[in-house]
Structures are given as structure tokens and as C-alpha cells.
Amino acid sequence: MIVILQPHVTPDSAEYRQLMNYLANKPNLRTRMHQEIGTRQTLTEIYLIGDTAALDKAEIESQPGVERVVRVSEEYRILGRHRDDRRPTGFDYNGVLFSQDNLNVFAGLCAVDTPEHVEQMLKALKAQGQACTRMGAYKPRTNPYSFQGHGQACLPWVFELAGKYGIKVIAMEITHDSHLDEIREALQKTGNPTGVMLQIGTRNTQNFELLKIVGRQREFPVLLKRGFGITLEESLNAAEYLASEGNSRIVFGLRGMKTNMGDPHRNFVDFAHVPVIKRLTRMPVCIDPSHSVGTRERAPDGLLDVMHVTAQGVVAGANMILVDFHPHPAKALVDGPQALTLDELPWFLEDVAIARTAYDQRRLLAERNLRPPHP
Ligand code: PEP
Ligand code: MN
């Protein structure tokens, strides 16, 4: 059960203390306070754990300072959508809104290589009015002899260049908790010129210790990729790990499933699950067409497969796109074969806008059809 407090009720208020005394008298009940710190207001919630079946929802709702009470099912307690649950579906970070109702594009390098390539990428993004990018510094590689990313060494200049080109959020994968400290330190040393969304990759979706550590910090939001060989339920539970530790600023990423059924794509594209995740949880949903498709193959209609699957995800209501670009794909140190080129960026963004318009129109059509007919 979740008790959502009125916006002005904070842990130092009289109403809060009164409510906690009232709850302390209930048998076999533990409480856990959780705060959603937004730009406009802070939302305080109290999670009730234990013998909640015996509790009277209306009685709790009548206590001073309580806005409403949500009875949660066992599944995805914090992130799930429960009955009568009108909690927000998103969050603001560094001036960028992430929600189930909007769309952000994170085009960028799979892996940071040279300052020249990073700068060319960022310049192209700025020219297109983009405020987000992807830049991998720590790369989890299948082959131990492959390039592992520049790691900590590249962070200062990547952050400074991002600030120079007005980038507000960089999606950056971490594979170890020390990377979190390195990112925090580099941001501080460079004067926080940009923000970072910590990415947990498909190989680490069930790295529970990493999830707990990343969940305990509230500074950075998290992009959690779906595990490529586990069920959707298992991946959503991984997201709940982050939330249960205190950080529910999470975007859930689809990146295709590992099975030969998807051949000739690198992975089997799973973007049909965009609306499913939005139905089950309050997380914004990201699609990663690059790691799903894995090639620059083009259909007879002239569109790259990467563009086709992007449009499919966007038409289904995706909220974020993580996509590989590179100024010279042949020189990329990681995933060059799937990267789009900088002169394809305006085309890609226009194609995304067309798909988003189609989604908006589909939403309006659904609204019109669901509205009860006039008597
Ligand atoms: C990536 O986004 O660079 C990446 C390695 O993705 P995934 O974890 O989905 O393979
Ligand atoms: Mn990659």
C-alpha cells in the first residue's frame, strides 16, 4: 500500500508526525518513506509493508495531510501501474522531461573514440536542435581483446565538449560501481557542463549488486536495458530493484532479444512491447534500433532497416530513442557497421517526426472512439 501525501506535507511537518504515530499503532506494519524530488514540487510517499490487508483505505485517506492511498499488487510495487494509481509517469532531469507522453532522441557514438569525432557528432546534434546524446566510455565487449572504451580518461573532455554544444543529458553505460564515482568526479571537476543518464546494459540487467548501488543514488537517472535472454517480467523486476533502493527515475530500454529467429537482424526486434511496458509500469520506454538491427541494410523502398524499426517503435508510443551515429562508421572502434552517418541525421529526425505525428493522430483517434457516445 502506498500513502501519497499532499504536496506541502514534508517529513518535518506536524501532519507527517501525526500520520506516522497513527500508522505506528497498526499491528505488523512497517513504513518506508520515499520522496520524488521534482523541479516544481516534492512528492512524499509512505510505503506500507507487512499486514496491509487488514487496513482500511478510506480511514487512512481521511487522515490529515493524506492525498490518496493506492493498494498495490505484488508486481512492480513502486514502478507498476496500480488501480486508482494517478502517480506521474516521468521525471525532469537537467531541464529535460522524460515521460510516457513525450519523446527524446539520444543519437550519438556507440563508443567515444577521438575528440574530433565526438565534436563532429555534437556539432551535428546542435545544428539539429538536439539536447541529448549517447556516448559510451565503458564498453562491455564479448571479446576480451576488443577495445574496452577509453573509460575515466575521456570523461573530462567529453563532458566539456557536451557543455560547449548545449547537450543536457548523455546516456553513458556503466558496468561497475566505480564508474559512477568516476563520472560524478569528472562532472564536478569540469563544473557540471552537462548531465548523465546512467545506462545499465543488457549484459548487466540482472547484476543485482550493481542495480542496488545505482538505485541508492538519486543524482543520476537510469536507462535500464532489457536483458536479451530473460523474460520481460524478469527485466521489469530488475527495474524494480533500482526503485526499491530509492531511485525511480528510470527509463526502460528495449534493444532486441538474442535468438536466431530475428535473423538477419542482430537481435529480434521487440518494439511491440512498447505499449505493454507502458501498461504495466509508469516508466518511459526507450527503443534502441541500432543494437536491435545491427546493420545498415536498406529495404527496396530506400529506408534503412534501422529507420523502419525506429518508426515502428515510435508509432507504438516510444518515449526515447537511443541510436548509433558516427562521422566515419568505417573508423568507429565499436559497432561501426550499424552506425548512421551525420548527413543521415536530419533525414532520421524527420522520419521520426513523421512517425510521432502518426502516433499522436492514433492517440486522438483512440480518444474519440473511447469517449462515451452522447445520449
Ligand atoms: C550500447 O548501448 O552500447 C550497448 C552495449 O547496448 P546493449 O547493452 O543493449 O547491448
Ligand atoms: Mn554498441
Side-chain angles (χ1 to χ4, degrees):
M1 215 174 217
I2 306 175
V3 183
I4 300 159
L5 306 188
Q6 289 161 359
H8 68 278
V9 182
T10 50
D12 50 14
S13 65
E15 282 121 313
Y16 183 87
R17 280 193 296 276
Q18 197 181 329
L19 179 67
M20 293 314 266
N21 286 338
Y22 160 83
L23 293 170
N25 286 324
K26 302 283 177 202
N28 306 321
L29 196 69
R30 279 185 299 121
T31 58
R32 184 159 157 184
M33 196 267 292
H34 177 81
Q35 279 190 310
E36 291 283 336
I37 303 163
T39 41
R40 268 156 277 131
Q41 63 181 39
T42 294
L43 202 65
T44 307
E45 301 172 340
I46 300 168
Y47 291 88
L48 305 184
I49 306 148
D51 196 2
T52 54
L55 296 177
D56 182 345
K57 180 172 181 273
E59 188 186 296
I60 304 175
E61 267 170 346
S62 69
Q63 299 300 310
V66 174
E67 184 155 308
R68 61 182 186 282
V69 173
V70 177
R71 219 180 246 292
V72 301
S73 45
E74 280 304 302
E75 288 281 274
Y76 325 130
R77 291 182 188 192
I78 300 176
L79 297 171
R81 270 181 191 274
H82 306 290
R83 224 154 63 91
D84 304 326
D85 192 352
R86 298 189 302 274
R87 287 178 297 160
T89 64
F91 55 88
D92 282 300
Y93 172 65
N94 211 26
V96 181
L97 172 70
F98 295 88
S99 90
Q100 284 195 343
D101 293 316
N102 73 340
L103 175 64
N104 293 299
V105 180
F106 281 64
L109 305 185
C110 177
V112 169
D113 44 30
T114 66
E116 291 72 30
H117 289 156
V118 170
E119 184 149 16
Q120 284 167 21
M121 182 73 237
L122 298 174
K123 210 176 200 166
L125 289 169
K126 186 176 163 77
Q128 295 300 314
Q130 297 298 303
C132 303
T133 189
R134 58 155 298 146
M135 289 283 160
Y138 308 95
K139 299 305 301 176
R141 306 303 303 279
T142 306
N143 185 331
Y145 308 112
S146 303
F147 172 63
Q148 304 282 312
H150 288 310
Q152 184 178 18
C154 72
L155 299 180
W157 57 263
V158 169
F159 293 158
E160 272 162 4
L161 281 172
K164 177 172 168 192
Y165 290 97
I167 294 294
K168 299 207 167 313
V169 189
I170 306 178
M172 183 174 272
E173 177 164 358
I174 62 166
T175 57
H176 190 272
D177 55 283
S178 58
H179 302 157
L180 177 57
D181 301 326
E182 291 170 8
I183 288 172
R184 190 182 286 123
E185 193 188 307
L187 279 174
Q188 269 163 12
K189 280 205 175 128
T190 50
N192 293 304
T194 186
V196 171
M197 175 177 271
L198 301 173
Q199 186 176 320
I200 297 189
T202 196
R203 291 158 188 82
N204 275 313
T205 308
Q206 284 189 313
N207 182 340
F208 299 117
E209 296 314 311
L210 183 63
L211 294 174
K212 285 185 203 165
I213 288 163
V214 171
R216 266 176 225 141
Q217 62 77 39
R218 303 274 199 91
E219 198 176 344
F220 305 108
V222 186
L223 168 63
L224 176 73
K225 295 261 196 115
R226 175 186 193 163
F228 53 30
I230 56 176
T231 65
L232 181 62
E233 190 186 341
E234 285 163 337
S235 290
L236 294 179
N237 268 307
E240 188 73 15
Y241 256 93
L242 294 163
S244 72
E245 294 291 335
N247 190 347
S248 45
R249 297 201 291 174
I250 309 165
V251 176
F252 187 83
L254 295 173
R255 46 83 70 217
M257 303 299 292
K258 218 177 173 63
T259 159
N260 286 352
M261 302 285 189
D263 292 351
H265 289 163
R266 182 174 174 184
N267 288 288
F268 194 61
V269 183
D270 53 352
F271 300 168
H273 284 177
V274 168
V276 176
I277 295 152
K278 289 168 86 172
R279 179 173 73 234
L280 293 173
T281 78
R282 296 177 296 111
M283 289 185 281
V285 182
C286 173
I287 52 166
D288 177 341
S290 305
H291 291 84
S292 301
V293 169
T295 72
R296 285 185 44 87
E297 288 299 324
R298 194 184 295 277
D301 55 19
L303 288 152
L304 296 169
D305 288 10
V306 168
M307 291 183 180
H308 269 299
V309 303
T310 302
Q312 287 157 17
V314 172
V315 159
N319 307 113
M320 174 169 159
I321 304 167
L322 193 73
V323 55
D324 290 2
F325 273 77
H326 198 283
H328 304 285
K331 293 188 190 164
L333 297 178
V334 184
D335 285 347
Q338 69 194 24
L340 306 192
T341 57
L342 298 191
D343 52 355
E344 286 166 338
L345 181 62
W347 172 16
F348 179 82
L349 292 172
E350 200 175 332
D351 199 44
V352 166
I354 292 171
R356 180 68 190 181
T357 302
Y359 171 68
D360 288 338
Q361 288 171 352
R362 294 177 64 224
R363 247 187 112 155
L364 284 174
L365 183 63
E367 248 172 55
R368 279 208 300 277
N369 280 277
L370 290 172
R371 211 178 289 148
H374 288 295

